[in-house]
Amino acid sequence: MASTITSTFKTPFLDTTKSSSSFHGAPIPTSRFSFTPTKSSSSAAQNGAVSMSMATPPYDLNSFKFAPIKESIVSREMTRRYMTDMLTYADTDVVIVGAGSAGLSCAYELSKNPDIRIAIIEQSVSPGGGAWLGGQLFSAMVVRKPAHLFLNEVGVDYDELEDYVVIKHAALFTSTIMSKLLARPNVKLFNAVAAEDLIVKGGRVGGVVTNWALVSMNHDTQSCMDPNVMEAKVVVSSCGHDGPFGATGVKRLMDIGMIDKVPGMKALDMNAAEDAIVRLTREVVPGMIVTGMEVAEIDGAPRMGPTFGAMMISGQKAAHLALRALGEANALDGVNNGKVKQPEFVIADAGTAGEAVDA
């Protein structure tokens, strides 16, 4: 039996015209749907139907043909470029372990200095951690003020309310920051690569031990599969809260006796948690900075649940801690590239533990 499905746009149950929602302060248009009618002689157009206007592609879709290529060229291009990256970043300035929202924010901030080389290690094929979705697999991402200033810089639109902003889909933040970060020449993302261990010399962390993530997950199913290494002046551990690959940085520090314990994060308290995560972001042992939810694991801080501002600002603070460790200008010491830091970004110092932080 055939059926016809029709749909009409209804007024949303949340009347946005009566709220203070905005994109960067500009009022949201009353209509959520913007269509541009195109001229057409079809009966549909004559009956009032509209279609979205579309630019004509710069090629003929009816007779499209790719330029020829040898399969071996594709293989050589991938292999040569990846191996060149491995050679380049075998000894680098900063290695960031974990490409979630904190790790990406740290790399974004660090990469503003073109003289700093940054390698990002991410065990998953898809970087971004839990920042592709909000809470309970919902789409929206909530960010408490004043962390929205970081979104302004990155260029992510949001609905603005009095004390917080809402990005309509978390993936907008993650995809935007990644696209800008990975385009920078001093950054390389090694995804599907796991950090299996740390390099430690003379009581100082000096890099990471790496392997393909699939190899790391199958050490007990095969014979010995030795790793590779990546030396770094500073390691930033952004491995998230406890899980299959979570909090691996601080757990390894405990295993080798460089820290006493990893108590794990406490129960949820958004207001206490986000301030604590930024405040306690610090260099936990010489050569290794901890950021994001891994901070909660080492300090027993509360979890914050589905609100993401602390991840961004903790990552930003970790970047400036790394710059300080490298002897570079940084916001924590009041300067950034020779200029006084912007007062909107009040980044906590490790010495302020126990005090509230504007984050």
Side-chain angles (χ1 to χ4, degrees):
M1 181 177 68
S3 63
T4 301
I5 301 175
T6 60
S7 63
T8 58
F9 299 132
K10 298 181 179 179
T11 302
F13 73 93
L14 288 177
D15 186 353
T16 58
T17 63
K18 296 180 180 179
S19 73
S20 58
S21 297
S22 62
F23 288 99
H24 288 201
I28 297 177
T30 302
S31 173
R32 289 283 187 177
F33 302 90
S34 179
F35 294 96
T36 302
T38 57
K39 293 183 179 180
S40 173
S41 60
S42 67
S43 58
Q46 292 171 358
N47 291 331
V50 295
S51 63
M52 296 183 71
S53 62
M54 183 180 298
T56 302
Y59 34 74
D60 187 350
L61 293 172
N62 290 315
S63 58
F64 189 92
K65 187 176 177 62
F66 287 99
I69 195 168
K70 290 184 65 177
E71 283 79 1
S72 58
I73 291 176
V74 176
S75 176
R76 287 193 181 103
E77 285 293 345
M78 292 188 301
T79 304
R80 176 176 60 83
R81 292 168 187 269
Y82 198 91
M83 293 305 165
T84 299
D85 286 333
M86 291 185 72
L87 290 170
T88 300
Y89 289 93
D91 185 357
T92 193
D93 295 314
V94 181
V95 168
I96 299 172
V97 183
S101 49
L104 291 174
S105 299
C106 178
Y108 176 88
E109 188 76 7
L110 262 177
S111 62
K112 294 176 185 177
N113 186 330
D115 298 326
I116 306 297
R117 287 180 300 129
I118 305 125
I120 309 169
I121 305 297
E122 169 55 49
Q123 63 87 18
S124 175
V125 171
S126 54
W132 290 110
L133 291 166
Q136 199 170 313
L137 306 183
F138 295 163
S139 301
M141 173 184 277
V142 177
V143 176
R144 294 165 59 201
K145 293 181 177 181
H148 70 298
L149 297 172
F150 186 70
L151 299 177
N152 291 357
E153 179 185 337
V154 175
V156 180
D157 287 336
Y158 49 71
D159 289 349
E160 182 172 14
L161 290 96
E162 186 175 356
D163 296 319
Y164 62 93
V165 301
V166 183
I167 305 168
K168 74 173 185 177
H169 201 299
L172 281 172
F173 166 75
T174 305
S175 59
T176 301
I177 195 170
M178 274 202 298
S179 67
K180 296 188 176 182
L181 168 65
L182 297 181
R184 291 175 175 170
N186 55 333
V187 178
K188 172 61 183 179
L189 168 66
F190 294 93
N191 47 330
V193 173
E196 291 190 330
D197 204 347
L198 299 169
I199 299 173
V200 180
K201 297 179 180 180
R204 180 181 180 85
V205 174
V208 293
V209 178
T210 62
N211 215 326
W212 306 122
L214 291 176
V215 172
S216 292
M217 297 168 68
N218 285 279
H219 277 306
D220 16 351
T221 67
Q222 303 292 325
S223 59
C224 179
M225 296 179 284
D226 281 332
N228 206 338
V229 295
M230 189 175 290
E231 289 189 285
K233 299 179 181 69
V234 178
V235 172
V236 177
S237 190
S238 178
C239 299
H241 52 68
D242 197 15
F245 280 88
T248 52
V250 295
K251 286 190 287 189
R252 185 58 179 149
L253 290 179
M254 182 179 67
D255 290 342
I256 60 179
M258 293 187 75
I259 60 174
D260 295 330
K261 58 182 180 179
V262 179
M265 62 184 176
K266 293 180 181 176
L268 191 148
D269 182 341
M270 286 185 182
N271 289 288
E274 292 209 278
D275 287 349
I277 294 300
V278 176
R279 181 177 70 248
L280 297 170
T281 297
R282 65 195 186 280
E283 188 174 12
V284 292
V285 298
M288 182 164 151
I289 296 163
V290 177
T291 183
M293 283 307 300
E294 194 167 8
V295 174
E297 293 289 338
I298 191 174
D299 289 312
R303 64 189 300 176
M304 79 276 303
T307 176
F308 289 81
M311 300 298 96
M312 302 168 191
I313 308 304
S314 173
Q316 188 183 38
K317 180 181 178 183
H320 287 276
L321 286 165
L323 289 170
R324 174 192 277 172
L326 293 168
E328 298 286 340
N330 62 88
L332 293 170
D333 294 330
V335 292
N336 188 1
N337 295 325
K339 297 180 180 179
V340 177
K341 67 171 183 170
Q342 295 187 22
E344 298 97 320
F345 293 108
V346 181
I347 305 178
D349 191 311
T352 62
E355 300 173 9
V357 178
D358 290 324

